[in-house]
Amino acid sequence: MLEGLPPHRPTHVLRLITDEPSARAMTELLGEMFDPMETAVAAFEVEETGAWRLEAYFSEEPDTEMILDLIRPLVGDQADAAVFETIDQQDWVRASLEGLKPVRAGRFLVHGSHDREHVRPNDLAIEIEAALAFGTGHHGTTLGCLRALVAELKRRRPARVLDVGTGTGILGFAAARALHVPVVAGDLDPEAVETARGNARLNGLGPLMRLYQGPGVRHALADRARGFDVVFANILARPLKRLAPSLTAVVADDGVLILSGLIERDVPGVLSTYRHRGFHLARAGLIEGWATLVLRRGGAAARPR
């Protein structure tokens, strides 16, 4: 269960072994208390022991006493076992590489250089190197968006694709690889854009990627009214709500908007926001606690499955 995507440049981490109810409660509490662009919280079961591990990543040094005061009512004396550590940037890169397991959706395969042997002859393979713009733990969102793209490709071949919050570039690369058309992709973080640019070159997709740095669609490449057949936005609930007017404006009349970066409890609020913009739920998926929503203009809303 994850509450947010790790920051692009984490500097500190909190780790605590506890039980499942406490881990879930702390995930919700810390996820609400801290800016999701600067902090990410994850909780997952340790297979060997059945205990749960809480990890919270911070882009700046946290106030440890304040955090301990926050979690103590939830875990009692267990709070004293919490470990705060600094993260060496090279260790973060290495951990990202270890966390980058192959992700398969239809013919798409996202992998690191250490997993090239998993590529099959007919795969649409995308190789992603670990970098400071890469976050571990987000494969449920990536896989959900890739599956949504696979479904859309079975329906038609879109010609115009936009990837908002591209990160390492995976979703934009997948569209470019499958469709052989130019893809527009942007990110707020200039380091993420440079990482995506390098990954595009690595995959031989440089000529097809139109990359920009900026918030949402606020760039000449992206700010095109009804200009895209497929729009990806794999970010988080709050920015998805905030960006609803601009994101819906760039989706073509018969286009689709693929949203992810949402935990299950975020789905009703996000759907309500986009319903007010004239979009209904066409399809939904849930992977490892992460929801992916495929939205279209008009019509009656479908029930999330």
Side-chain angles (χ1 to χ4, degrees):
M1 180 183 71
L2 297 175
E3 178 70 20
L5 303 183
H8 291 321
R9 293 173 293 275
T11 62
H12 293 75
V13 61
L14 156 66
R15 293 187 175 96
L16 177 62
I17 300 295
T18 185
D19 57 82
E20 180 180 357
S22 297
R24 290 183 179 274
M26 285 189 291
T27 299
E28 293 194 9
L29 174 64
L30 296 177
E32 291 291 339
M33 291 296 297
F34 293 94
D35 184 345
M37 301 302 290
E38 302 295 334
T39 305
V41 190
F44 51 91
E45 187 176 12
V46 181
E47 293 183 4
E48 295 82 359
T49 64
W52 277 61
R53 173 183 291 174
L54 174 91
E55 293 186 353
Y57 292 90
F58 304 90
S59 62
E60 297 181 356
E61 183 175 3
D63 183 336
T64 58
E65 291 302 320
M66 182 268 287
I67 292 174
L68 292 177
D69 287 342
L70 282 174
I71 67 174
R72 197 175 298 279
L74 300 177
V75 298
D77 291 341
Q78 279 188 328
D80 297 328
V83 176
F84 292 87
E85 297 177 331
T86 58
I87 301 175
D88 180 86
Q89 293 301 312
Q90 293 306 311
D91 288 341
W92 176 246
V93 171
R94 184 163 52 252
S96 297
L97 183 61
E98 292 170 353
L100 182 59
K101 304 303 181 185
V103 176
R104 183 177 291 280
R107 291 177 59 201
F108 293 117
L109 182 72
V110 182
H111 66 93
S113 59
H114 56 302
D115 280 316
R116 288 174 183 164
E117 68 274 13
H118 292 283
V119 179
R120 303 169 184 168
N122 291 325
D123 281 344
L124 297 172
I126 302 164
E127 184 172 313
I128 301 294
E129 286 297 348
L132 299 185
F134 177 76
T136 61
H138 71 284
H139 301 316
T141 64
T142 303
L143 182 56
C145 289
L146 288 173
R147 286 178 177 174
L149 177 60
V150 169
E152 186 65 14
L153 293 177
K154 291 178 179 178
R155 192 177 74 91
R156 63 171 183 165
R157 292 185 64 81
R160 304 165 298 172
V161 179
L162 171 64
D163 181 14
V164 178
T166 194
T168 50
I170 291 173
L171 300 177
F173 299 160
R177 181 77 81 203
L179 297 167
H180 306 287
V181 298
V183 171
V184 177
D187 200 284
L188 179 64
D189 187 339
E191 188 165 13
V193 175
E194 287 308 305
T195 296
R197 198 181 309 280
N199 284 327
R201 289 193 295 267
L202 175 67
N203 286 275
L205 296 171
L208 291 178
M209 298 304 300
R210 307 289 186 262
L211 294 164
Y212 69 91
Q213 188 267 317
V217 300
R218 288 173 55 187
H219 191 279
L221 287 172
D223 191 6
R224 295 161 49 193
R226 312 260 172 146
F228 296 96
D229 305 309
V230 174
V231 177
F232 292 106
N234 181 12
I235 41 182
L236 293 168
R238 273 185 276 182
L240 283 176
K241 291 179 181 179
R242 187 175 65 250
L243 292 172
S246 57
L247 287 177
T248 53
V250 300
V251 181
D253 288 337
D254 60 346
V256 296
L257 182 55
I258 301 174
L259 307 181
S260 196
L262 307 167
I263 59 175
E264 193 170 7
R265 72 179 185 190
D266 293 329
V267 170
V270 171
L271 284 179
S272 177
T273 298
Y274 281 82
R275 192 176 296 117
H276 283 93
R277 308 299 307 183
F279 278 69
H280 72 276
L281 178 66
R283 193 166 55 253
L286 187 67
I287 303 173
E288 299 173 354
W290 290 104
T292 299
L293 310 178
V294 180
L295 308 181
R296 299 186 188 279
R297 289 186 186 277
R303 287 183 177 273
R305 295 198 304 266

